[in-house]
Amino acid sequence: MWKLKIAEGVDGPYLYSTNNYVGRQTWEFDPDAGTPEERAEVEEVRQNFFKNRYQVKPSSDLLWRMQFLREKNFKQTIPTVKIEDGEQISYAKVTTALRRAVHFFSALQASDGHWPAESTGSLFCLPPLVFSLYITGHLNSVLPEEHCREILRYIYYHQNEDGGWGLHIEGHSIMYCTVLSYICMRILGVGPNGGLNSACAKARKWILDHGSATYIPSWGKTWLSILGIFDWSGANPMPPEFWILPSFLPIHPAKIWCYSRMAYMPMSYLFGKRFIGPITPLIEQLREELYLQPYNEINWSKVRHLCAPEDIYNTHPLIQDLIWDSLYMFIEPLLNRWPFKKLVRERALQITMKHIHYEDENSRYITIGCVEKVLCMLACWVEEPNSDYFKKHLARIPDFLWVAEDGMKIHGLSSQQWDTSLAIQALLASDLTNEIGHVLKRGHDFIKKSQVKDNPSGDFKKMYRHVSKGSWTFSDQDHGWQVSDCTAEGLKCCLLMSMLPPEIIDEKLEPQQLYDAVNILLSLQSKTGGLAVWEPSGVQDWLEMFNPTEFFADIVIEHEYVECTASAIHALVLFKKLYPGHKTKEVDNFITNAIQYLKNVQLPDGSWYGSWGICFIYGTYFALGGLSAAGKTHTNCLAMHKGVEFLLRTQRENGGWGESYKSCPQRRYVPLEGGRSNLVQTAWALMGLIHAGHAKRDLLPLHRAAKQLINSQLENGDFPQQKLFEVVESFEISLEELLHENYEEPNFGEVEETFVIDYRPFNRPKEEWWCKEFKVNDAATEGAMPTVVVAITSTVENLEKIIVALVQLTDRLTI
């Protein structure tokens, strides 16, 4: 059986940690572990996933949950509650549902204080790891038989009905992921017509029916060229000379988004070397299997711009293709001839590897993410197969692997710190400190130990890095990369914990460490008032015109985000309250500018676009929370009023909310099919309405949502997994808002904009409309308060969100 190991690692020549591996999570297979009953339980959840794989594509992450609950002998002793039709929700029933969720969730805490969770879903991440290990000859040592079996399970279980694979587990089939998955299966020993339900045969048919592997997008052309299944002359140039360009040029590495920078850095090294892996019999077979014509007859120069229509999300402008053609026809031939090859190309390759080694060392060989990890590892092997650099990379591969009932997958990047800081806030909000004090203490200890203590080494600005001291990462301290909203949530968590009795918090974070975190947030605000994620934004938007990928948009430069901005407002408002004398002017200016940014980017329909979750519900929830933390309400802020109206319009008949992932690429609100709702999104929307003070106007939408949450709770206190709801796992917490059943007269002295509150509850007859009669600029509305019925909602991986929604409801039921 598989077992999740927590915070394990021994310092040696190839593995080391900055905080004794706190937050590290790795999987180990023990063939002798488990009773027959436990093994049968694991097999049962695997088969259940497979049978329902086309209905619910994300896993419920059950293997480690079963392990933890078994190890802790958890038994849910609090009885189940249900809300019947026509029944009014009572404080007692909401509190019972809340306690059941809190006790279950507390049992899932790891020994070092964090909450494990998978952060996966992209289907282009795992195959390159297999490719690199195959090329370097380390496949069997790093991924023994049981690992390979689980990797194949993951590939099989997420194959679409048409035989292909999508960019992510919910997506339509595309050439990129279908070709990568096919090659991965073949490398792992599956025959050309083999695999579960003839997976390989179906995949190859899909590939050939859609034009063959010549239509794979640019990243695929790179990987196939590395493997020797494509020719480098069929790929657009990625000259390593980019990394030695002078800084005064408008296009310079320091101006590129860090994830793209770190991906194209090793890509350009491998391109500059024209590296090709060993041409094995399998590679020769793949050359025959993936194309419609003989491999040696393909005109590679004519396939450089080919891309399957299914893969195209970002269309290249003509000027970009002209640049690629110029590099291909004129610059590259020049750089590969004497004396330029000696004077320029070799120097560029050396500088590129210097940057790769720097990034590797400063992330303890975790790198910024899984795409970059595999490329940097391969570049180190190409430079020197027996180098310590490569061996250090091998030692950190287990940090990326994850096992669930749908098989073994690879983290984009683990989310330990992000999940834990929000989990602690959710538990704090439950007001059950007397029952879960030990859980809070462990979580607080993890967060304190996960704060980044130093900036990147040496002259980090010369290496295109930003300050990181005082920040929190998305995963753990070893990762080292500052993240703005993770820093904001970590800071907020520590501030909230500092207000608890000393027997709970043990030791507070030192004031200077709080100040360092504030400095990070202040440094990441742009001129627009918005907050970037990793590094300051502000570079010219026109650089996005040179985005070389076909299936991603907005990856060339850093951008500002609604979610990050809102999280920072929350944190700095609380910091200002507890530390009013520190950088008062800077903090005030930050909050003012951030509020204005949120107003400026609100869409005409009242929503906000969320970039790290799905999508308009997610962004609106964050924005309303941030504005609320800054003192804005539906009575003094038009943006709040419009945001509430958006949420009310999109509430489903069953009281919940449900938004499709298609909202993200289409950039318009797309509801889930069939009138369905999603528990996590329902919790987001419910909290957004509470943030905005909507309970002072009409309780019915909140109660309908609450009923959904309560009645969806499972026997053990958990909530069921549903369709994909997040781009990157995230959620937010509010502790301030209280739900008053009696409407409070608005303070018109605080109204900052002139508008009419014309409130018509969604899907409600006119006789149930309600709002207090008042005037704003001589415009009046009136109505009557309706009778209300109550409700509640929740979900699986983001149980924290449901806990907070339940908390906020109980607060209001006590008023």
Side-chain angles (χ1 to χ4, degrees):
M1 287 182 64
W2 289 94
K3 183 176 182 180
L4 181 62
K5 313 284 281 187
I6 298 298
E8 292 196 6
V10 178
D11 283 353
Y14 309 126
L15 182 66
Y16 56 97
S17 172
T18 58
N19 67 346
N20 200 28
Y21 304 97
V22 170
R24 192 177 193 224
Q25 43 190 25
T26 55
W27 285 89
E28 177 182 275
F29 182 75
D30 182 352
D32 301 319
T35 66
E37 292 77 15
E38 290 167 351
R39 295 185 183 190
E41 186 182 12
V42 169
E43 189 58 32
E44 181 182 2
V45 298
R46 287 170 174 164
Q47 292 306 312
N48 285 340
F49 179 88
F50 182 73
K51 285 185 283 189
N52 297 290
R53 67 192 185 280
Y54 296 132
Q55 287 72 48
V56 181
K57 297 188 177 183
S59 78
S60 295
D61 213 6
L62 291 176
L63 298 195
W64 75 269
R65 289 167 175 257
M66 291 158 56
Q67 172 193 328
F68 274 35
L69 297 175
R70 186 169 56 246
E71 290 173 348
K72 298 179 182 182
N73 197 27
F74 173 79
K75 303 292 182 185
Q76 181 61 265
T77 59
I78 305 171
T80 304
V81 293
K82 295 292 180 184
I83 307 300
E84 303 297 334
D85 291 343
E87 178 185 357
Q88 203 165 9
I89 296 182
S90 66
Y91 175 83
K93 283 198 171 183
V94 176
T95 302
T96 298
L98 174 63
R99 290 184 66 236
R100 296 179 78 249
V102 166
H103 280 247
F104 174 81
F105 189 63
S106 298
L108 297 178
Q109 187 181 36
S111 57
D112 65 355
H114 86 275
W115 273 263
E118 68 171 82
S119 179
T120 64
S122 299
L123 294 176
F124 57 87
C125 299
L126 183 57
L129 173 64
V130 174
F131 300 168
S132 292
L133 294 174
Y134 176 75
I135 290 169
T136 61
H138 288 76
L139 181 62
N140 294 332
S141 60
V142 176
L143 300 176
E145 181 182 355
E146 197 60 38
H147 287 67
C148 294
R149 181 181 296 115
E150 292 302 318
I151 289 173
L152 287 172
R153 184 192 309 278
Y154 186 70
I155 293 173
Y156 296 152
Y157 282 18
H158 291 287
Q159 186 174 26
N160 289 335
E161 293 180 88
D162 64 3
W165 285 264
L167 187 67
H168 51 81
I169 57 177
E170 297 268 6
H172 67 271
S173 297
I174 63 173
M175 184 66 74
Y176 182 43
C177 291
T178 302
V179 171
L180 294 191
S181 296
Y182 180 83
I183 296 172
C184 187
M185 289 189 291
R186 297 286 283 114
I187 287 175
L188 294 178
V190 181
N193 296 308
L196 184 64
N197 294 334
S198 303
C200 272
K202 291 178 180 178
R204 187 171 64 256
K205 183 179 186 305
W206 192 97
I207 293 166
L208 298 179
D209 286 349
H210 290 78
S212 85
T214 55
Y215 281 83
I216 198 169
S218 57
W219 281 19
K221 287 177 168 65
T222 297
W223 272 113
L224 267 61
S225 297
I226 290 169
L227 283 164
I229 306 172
F230 204 86
D231 195 282
W232 278 112
S233 63
N236 282 323
M238 294 176 286
E241 286 73 20
F242 179 70
W243 309 104
I244 59 174
L245 290 175
S247 59
F248 63 81
L249 292 177
I251 300 179
H252 183 265
K255 300 175 182 179
I256 302 302
W257 182 45
C258 55
Y259 267 80
S260 291
R261 187 169 71 235
M262 286 304 304
Y264 280 100
M265 195 178 287
M267 277 189 195
S268 67
Y269 179 82
L270 295 166
F271 172 82
K273 285 280 192 179
R274 296 298 196 281
F275 170 76
I276 301 173
I279 305 302
T280 64
L282 175 60
I283 296 300
E284 292 178 342
Q285 291 172 36
L286 288 168
R287 287 178 172 182
E288 296 176 4
E289 294 168 12
L290 291 171
Y291 300 100
L292 292 171
Q293 62 189 110
Y295 184 82
N296 58 7
E297 294 180 11
I298 297 173
N299 187 335
W300 296 106
S301 65
K302 291 187 176 181
V303 305
R304 287 187 301 114
H305 298 309
L306 293 183
C307 184
E310 294 80 5
D311 293 54
I312 297 176
Y313 176 63
N314 175 62
T315 305
H316 292 171
L318 177 60
I319 188 173
Q320 185 181 143
D321 288 339
L322 291 174
I323 291 173
W324 291 129
D325 290 342
S326 298
L327 288 170
Y328 183 86
M329 290 186 287
F330 304 114
I331 305 300
E332 269 303 305
L334 190 65
L335 291 171
N336 280 287
R337 293 177 182 171
W338 189 90
F340 299 103
K341 185 173 183 178
K342 181 72 174 177
L343 298 176
V344 181
R345 175 54 54 92
E346 290 186 8
R347 177 173 174 266
L349 290 170
Q350 292 171 1
I351 295 296
T352 303
M353 279 309 302
K354 179 181 178 182
H355 279 279
I356 291 172
H357 292 322
Y358 180 86
E359 296 294 348
D360 288 346
E361 288 288 335
N362 278 279
S363 65
R364 275 51 64 183
Y365 289 80
I366 297 171
T367 73
I368 198 171
C370 69
V371 171
E372 297 76 10
K373 161 75 178 178
V374 174
L375 286 164
C376 288
M377 180 178 72
L378 183 58
C380 289
W381 184 83
V382 171
E383 182 192 36
E384 173 51 60
N386 293 316
S387 68
D388 286 351
Y389 298 124
F390 176 66
K391 294 173 183 177
K392 290 176 182 178
H393 265 296
L394 291 177
R396 280 293 188 174
I397 288 176
D399 295 62
F400 283 87
L401 300 177
W402 193 260
V403 185
E405 63 270 25
D406 60 339
M408 177 173 281
K409 67 279 298 258
I410 186 170
H411 284 299
L413 184 65
S414 302
S415 56
Q416 299 95 310
Q417 166 58 29
W418 176 245
D419 292 332
T420 302
S421 61
L422 295 170
I424 290 298
Q425 292 177 62
L427 295 176
L428 283 170
S430 73
D431 198 25
L432 297 173
T433 303
N434 60 321
E435 299 180 32
I436 56 170
H438 61 292
V439 176
L440 295 170
K441 189 172 184 177
R442 277 200 303 265
H444 184 226
D445 186 61
F446 171 82
I447 292 170
K448 289 189 297 181
K449 289 179 179 178
S450 297
Q451 187 181 26
V452 177
K453 300 299 192 294
D454 299 295
N455 289 320
S457 62
D459 188 355
F460 58 88
K461 292 185 178 180
K462 184 179 179 181
M463 306 304 285
Y464 321 136
R465 288 293 298 271
H466 189 61
V467 294
S468 59
K469 184 179 180 180
S471 68
W472 277 273
T473 74
F474 189 60
S475 55
D476 56 22
Q477 189 187 94
D478 281 343
H479 181 242
W481 272 90
Q482 69 284 345
V483 179
S484 62
D485 51 354
C486 296
T487 300
E489 299 299 344
L491 172 61
K492 192 197 326 180
C493 190
C494 289
L495 292 171
L496 291 170
M497 289 294 295
S498 72
M499 301 164 70
L500 293 182
E503 60 268 21
I504 298 294
I505 64 168
D506 199 9
E507 292 183 8
K508 300 180 182 180
L509 209 61
E510 291 295 327
Q512 186 57 53
Q513 291 176 272
L514 300 174
Y515 300 160
D516 290 340
V518 170
N519 290 340
I520 289 289
L521 296 179
L522 296 177
S523 73
L524 290 172
Q525 189 176 42
S526 71
K527 293 179 180 178
T528 67
L531 213 67
V533 180
W534 294 274
E535 298 170 332
S537 62
V539 181
Q540 302 91 333
D541 287 342
W542 59 264
L543 286 175
E544 289 290 356
M545 181 170 55
F546 300 105
N547 177 0
T549 66
E550 297 85 356
F551 47 82
F552 290 132
D554 299 333
I555 68 159
V556 175
I557 63 174
E558 179 71 276
H559 295 273
E560 302 92 354
Y561 298 95
V562 168
E563 304 97 305
C564 300
T565 306
S567 287
I569 292 174
H570 262 287
L572 291 180
V573 166
L574 182 57
F575 175 82
K576 180 183 174 183
K577 178 181 178 181
L578 298 179
Y579 294 86
H582 183 75
K583 294 194 172 182
T584 306
K585 183 177 179 180
E586 292 93 328
V587 170
D588 285 342
N589 288 340
F590 181 103
I591 295 171
T592 300
N593 294 334
I595 292 170
Q596 192 58 50
Y597 168 81
L598 292 180
K599 293 179 182 179
N600 290 343
V601 298
Q602 187 178 30
L603 298 170
D605 67 353
S607 68
W608 282 267
Y609 182 87
S611 298
W612 302 107
I614 300 173
C615 172
F616 294 97
I617 293 174
Y618 186 69
T620 301
Y621 150 61
F622 265 95
L624 291 176
L627 292 171
S628 172
K632 305 303 177 185
T633 69
H634 67 90
T635 61
N636 67 14
C637 178
L638 178 58
M640 293 281 276
H641 174 71
K642 291 169 64 179
V644 167
E645 291 300 307
F646 166 76
L647 291 178
L648 294 176
R649 285 196 308 273
T650 53
Q651 189 173 23
R652 313 310 293 266
E653 290 288 342
N654 63 8
W657 278 262
E659 183 179 1
S660 168
Y661 78 89
K662 295 176 183 177
S663 290
C664 299
Q666 295 183 23
R667 292 187 175 264
R668 64 180 182 85
Y669 180 79
V670 179
L672 286 175
E673 307 87 350
R676 292 178 297 111
S677 60
N678 178 282
L679 294 175
V680 174
Q681 292 171 340
T682 298
W684 291 339
L686 176 58
M687 287 188 286
L689 291 174
I690 292 173
H691 284 321
H694 186 68
K696 302 174 185 178
R697 305 168 68 192
D698 184 8
L699 282 170
L700 185 56
L702 281 66
H703 290 176
R704 293 173 62 220
K707 182 178 179 181
Q708 268 272 19
L709 292 174
I710 289 178
N711 287 350
S712 299
Q713 192 171 34
L714 302 175
E715 287 292 328
N716 62 3
D718 197 3
F719 295 85
Q721 178 62 288
Q722 297 176 305
K723 299 274 275 185
L724 189 69
F725 54 84
E726 292 194 317
V727 178
V728 174
E729 192 170 52
S730 46
F731 52 89
E732 171 68 4
I733 293 172
S734 169
L735 300 177
E736 293 82 20
E737 299 264 34
L738 292 177
L739 178 61
H740 298 281
E741 294 193 12
N742 297 317
Y743 182 82
E744 291 186 352
E745 196 75 33
N747 182 351
F748 293 114
E750 297 177 0
V751 173
E752 60 187 45
E753 302 161 66
T754 300
F755 62 94
V756 179
I757 298 183
D758 182 14
Y759 175 60
R760 296 175 176 82
F762 187 59
N763 285 342
R764 300 270 299 284
K766 185 173 182 179
E767 58 268 21
E768 294 185 16
W769 292 356
W770 168 77
C771 77
K772 184 76 172 179
E773 180 178 83
F774 61 90
K775 291 187 177 182
V776 184
N777 262 13
D778 297 325
T781 55
E782 59 183 338
M785 181 69 182
T787 304
V788 295
V789 183
V790 181
I792 294 200
T793 346
S794 124
T795 172
V796 51
E797 282 193 306
N798 283 351
L799 183 55
E800 306 94 326
K801 301 173 182 64
I802 295 161
I803 290 173
V804 177
L806 289 169
V807 167
Q808 294 180 340
L809 189 67
T810 58
D811 286 343
R812 286 128 189 93
L813 290 172
T814 59
I815 298 301

